[in-house]
Amino acid sequence: MNVLYLLNFAGKAGTERYVETLVSYLSADGRVKPFFAYNEGGLLVERLEAMGVPTRQITMSSRFDRKAAKALAKLCEEWDIDLIHCHYLRENYIAMLAKSYNKKIRVVYTNHFILHNDAVTRLSNRLLDKRQDQMIAVCNRGRDQLMANGWSGEHIQVIFNAVDPEVWAGERSESTMREELGIRADRFVMLCASRFADDKGHRYLIDSVKRLTELCAVPFTLVLAGDGPLLEPCREQVKALDLTEDQVRFIGFRQDIKNLYKGSDLYINSSQHEALSFLIIEAMAAGLPVIATDMGGNDDIVNDAAGCGLLVEYDNPDSMAGAMKVMLEEPDFLAQCREGARRTIQEKFEIHKMADATYQVYEKAVNG
């Protein structure tokens, strides 16, 4: 099956990781021959080209860009595409408009966010719903939001994001992070690897660390990996709170994320908006317990059945600091969460299960 993966911005976030993962695992056994088209280039283009995936840039100025739809239809004819897999509303609308120019096209849309659409968008969703072949929500709340946004539930499948446990396997001794940062082997390390933006919650996370210093005597370091517009304001906040470099360490954007996981004891998610975070499930596959906000699809991952960590209230430093205190002071509970994390990945978030389920959606779309 020839599948064109269509993405407006081909950067370095979770959606790009999702596309790269599908391309890797669905093409490995020959089920899918992947192609890629994009509006704005970035790291994903480089990675896919390195894998030998044909790529092409298509200008997509808006959701109803007829010129882009014609160009997309022509490209699908050139590459003999059976199905377009889209990831944001802009390219999804354009792909459905492209059906007017190429009757062979079938469209699958994965919704990566849990966001309420405005009235105009909800209306256009309902009008275009009959052109949509299949949709994927990456969490249960995502499916509910799609339906609230005007899409028909009959063609929405919930398929959790997933990882390959073998990729993230390994021991603490393999990590160079602590040596690099000068962190003692016996110091408790918490990791948060998110872009410094409003919805990622760094400001209240840093407030939580200050609160933790008042609640807990166990030595700890919070390692903050990432870049973004709020990086410098967060640095200033740390200084204003008199937190030391031993307590909060900024290390910038890193590509050696496995190295960071293996050098840490706990993964922290402080985000306001999540569908189903790759960073959380990667960290769990690497053997890390998790503290996550009770937002979006996080409760599909962290819950009593999974036993892999704790959910906390978003933007509540007392809630976050209290959960951190439990993890720092109760090593037996931490160990139970570590085992729960690995087990949950195998049971619910294993890559071959995701790839198989996604290919079944492709077949439904193509065979109608």
Side-chain angles (χ1 to χ4, degrees):
M1 185 185 299
N2 290 353
V3 178
L4 173 62
Y5 295 88
L6 183 64
L7 192 58
N8 181 52
F9 176 60
K12 56 187 180 184
T15 301
E16 290 87 340
R17 196 169 307 185
Y18 175 95
V19 171
E20 185 178 1
T21 298
L22 283 180
V23 167
S24 297
Y25 285 86
L26 287 176
S27 63
D29 58 7
R31 284 184 290 180
V32 163
K33 183 177 181 181
F35 300 80
F36 184 64
Y38 61 95
N39 182 20
E40 298 180 55
L43 183 61
L44 180 62
V45 179
E46 298 174 17
R47 288 180 170 175
L48 293 180
E49 287 180 342
M51 294 166 60
V53 177
T55 66
R56 186 78 58 84
Q57 186 171 23
I58 296 178
T59 300
M60 296 182 282
S61 60
S62 70
R63 295 179 194 170
F64 297 101
D65 187 339
R66 286 278 179 181
K67 184 177 180 180
K70 290 180 181 178
L72 179 60
K74 184 177 180 181
L75 181 61
C76 287
E77 184 176 355
E78 176 186 340
W79 281 344
D80 193 25
I81 297 299
D82 299 299
L83 179 140
I84 303 174
H85 190 165
C86 309
H87 304 276
Y88 291 94
L89 274 183
R90 179 187 301 194
E91 57 264 36
N92 187 47
Y93 275 35
I94 290 171
M96 288 190 286
L97 292 175
K99 286 185 167 189
S100 300
Y101 308 102
N102 184 336
K103 303 300 183 183
K104 180 185 176 182
I105 291 174
R106 297 293 180 266
V107 180
V108 170
Y109 168 51
T110 293
N111 176 52
H112 297 275
F113 296 96
I114 305 173
L115 296 175
H116 178 73
N117 291 161
D118 59 35
V120 173
T121 302
R122 293 198 303 273
L123 175 60
S124 60
N125 289 345
R126 286 194 292 271
L127 292 174
L128 285 171
D129 183 71
K130 62 182 180 294
R131 292 194 177 203
Q132 190 76 58
D133 296 293
Q134 290 290 320
M135 305 182 81
I136 296 171
V138 299
C139 64
N140 286 300
R141 289 189 189 180
R143 182 181 188 276
D144 294 342
Q145 189 61 62
L146 281 172
M147 294 173 65
N149 286 340
W151 300 101
S152 170
E154 64 187 23
H155 51 226
I156 302 174
Q157 318 293 322
V158 176
I159 302 176
F160 295 140
N161 292 339
V163 294
D164 188 339
E166 293 184 8
V167 170
W168 302 102
E171 302 300 326
R172 166 69 59 81
S173 59
E174 298 174 15
S175 175
T176 62
M177 184 189 76
R178 289 176 181 253
E179 181 180 2
E180 172 193 339
L181 301 179
I183 299 175
R184 289 169 53 98
D186 59 351
R187 192 175 183 91
F188 195 96
V189 174
M190 301 178 287
L191 172 68
C192 178
S194 295
R195 186 170 183 270
F196 284 83
D198 280 328
D199 65 333
K200 297 303 182 181
H202 288 94
R203 286 173 173 164
Y204 95 87
L205 177 58
I206 292 168
D207 286 339
S208 303
V209 171
K210 181 63 176 179
R211 180 73 176 120
L212 182 62
T213 62
E214 301 163 355
L215 297 174
C216 178
V218 177
F220 70 86
T221 300
L222 172 65
V223 174
L224 295 174
D227 54 19
L230 294 185
L231 175 56
E232 289 309 315
C234 286
R235 290 184 187 274
E236 292 302 317
Q237 181 186 359
V238 167
K239 291 179 183 178
L241 292 174
D242 293 323
L243 292 167
T244 69
E245 191 176 62
D246 284 338
Q247 293 166 327
V248 180
R249 183 71 64 89
F250 296 89
I251 62 172
F253 174 71
R254 301 283 291 252
Q255 296 196 51
D256 60 336
I257 189 67
K258 181 178 179 179
N259 187 36
L260 304 186
Y261 292 146
K262 291 301 179 183
S264 303
D265 298 293
L266 175 69
Y267 188 77
I268 304 288
N269 170 280
S270 56
S271 295
Q272 180 181 16
H273 301 295
E274 289 290 0
L276 203 136
S277 167
F278 270 104
L279 287 167
I280 292 178
I281 58 176
E282 285 175 357
M284 289 168 56
L288 292 186
V290 173
I291 295 175
T293 53
D294 188 10
M295 305 297 287
N298 284 351
D299 63 357
D300 279 327
I301 309 172
V302 183
N303 49 57
D304 290 342
C308 60
L310 297 170
L311 287 179
V312 298
E313 184 179 349
Y314 174 75
D315 201 20
N316 184 334
D318 288 333
S319 179
M320 176 66 79
M324 291 173 168
K325 183 176 186 293
V326 170
M327 293 295 192
L328 267 69
E329 294 183 347
E330 300 185 22
D332 290 343
F333 179 71
L334 186 77
Q336 291 172 15
C337 290
R338 187 178 297 116
E339 291 305 311
R342 292 193 177 101
R343 184 191 67 251
T344 299
I345 293 300
Q346 290 286 355
E347 293 176 353
K348 293 181 64 177
F349 306 105
E350 195 275 330
I351 184 58
H352 295 95
K353 296 177 182 178
M354 171 195 170
D356 290 345
T358 303
Y359 187 72
Q360 289 174 17
V361 170
Y362 288 178
E363 288 185 316
K364 285 183 182 179
V366 169
N367 297 326

